[in-house]
Amino acid sequence: MSSPRGDILFSRIGYSFREPSRFLQSVTHKSFVNEHKSQAPEHNERMEFLGDAVLDFVITDLIMERFTALSEGDLSKIRASLVSEATLAEVAREIGLGKYLRMGKGEDRSGGREKNSILSDALEALIAAIYMDSRETEGVAAVFASIARLFGDRIAHVRSAQKVFDFKTELQEIVQKRHKERVNYKIVAEEGPDHAKVYEVAVYIKEREFGRGRGRSKKESEQEAARIALDALAVQEKSRV
C-alpha cells in the first residue's frame, strides 16, 4: 500500500511539520515496530501520553471561553464527551488519519485502521507531534489552532448549556418509567498501561445487555455505554410502531 500524500492531511489539521520524523512517529503503531525495528525504532505510545494531556488542556480552555456560565461539573461533562475515545476516533476518520497509519500486517488485516482505540490513540499522538514540532517557536499557539480547527464545530454544537450530556441519568429515567427497573453497569475489560488505561463497560437492563462503551475512565465508559443503550432503545421503540 503506497502512503497517501501527507500534505492533504496537513491541510486538514492546519499544520505542516518542520521535522517530518515527528509526524512519522505519531502514526507508527507498535505492531509496525515489532515487524520493522530497523525502520522504526519508536512507536507512538509515549506521544499518546503527551497528546492526551495537551488535548485536555486546550479543550478545557476552549470550553471555558465558550460556556462562561457553566459550573465545573458541567464543564467536566462536556470535556469528557469531546475527548472520549469515540469522539477522537470520529475526528480521526474525518481527517482520514487511518490511511496514514504504519502498522504490522496482522493488525492491518484485522481492520486496525478502523479500530476506535487505534484511531483515538493516533490522533492524540498527532496532537503531541504538532506541539513538539512547534513549541520552541510558537509555544502552544500552533497546537491550540489545530485543536480548535478539529474540534471547533463539535464545541459549537454541544447541546445547549442548559442541558449538558448525561446519558446515564437519561437512560435511568426512561428505564424506570417503562420497566420500574434499575440500570446496571459492569466492567468487562481493561486495557493499556496505568497512565493510559482504557475501560470497557457493559450496560444491562433486566439482565439483558444493551450496549458497551469504552473510555479513559469508568465514568466515561458508563456514559458511552448509556448513550449506545439509548440508541438501542430508540430503535426498539420504532420497531413497535
Side-chain angles (χ1 to χ4, degrees), residues 29 48 67 103 108 142 145 147 161 166 181 187 195 199 203-204 212 231-232:
H29 187 257
E48 292 165 23
F67 304 108
M103 56 180 55
D108 201 357
I147 292 172
D166 187 355
E181 295 279 346
I187 297 174
H195 70 263
Y199 298 89
V203 56
Y204 296 89
R212 294 190 178 193
D231 289 343

Side-chain angles (χ1 to χ4, degrees), residues 144-156:
F144 196 103
S146 289
I147 292 172
R149 182 188 187 102
L150 294 173
F151 290 84
D153 286 345
R154 281 178 168 78
I155 293 172

Side-chain angles (χ1 to χ4, degrees), residues 13 15 17 19 21-27 43-56 58 88 97 120-136 139-140 142-144 146-147 150-151:
I13 63 177
Y15 187 79
F17 285 86
E19 293 290 340
S21 61
R22 290 197 172 104
F23 167 68
L24 203 58
Q25 185 182 345
S26 76
V27 294
H43 52 68
N44 63 7
E45 284 189 356
R46 282 173 56 85
M47 296 180 86
E48 292 165 23
F49 177 60
L50 175 59
D52 177 56
V54 172
L55 183 63
D56 268 6
V58 175
L88 297 186
L97 185 56
S120 62
D121 288 346
L123 182 64
E124 288 178 338
L126 179 62
I127 287 168
I130 296 169
Y131 171 66
M132 294 167 71
D133 195 64
S134 63
R135 63 188 169 188
E136 289 187 9
V140 298
V143 74
F144 196 103
S146 289
I147 292 172
L150 294 173
F151 290 84

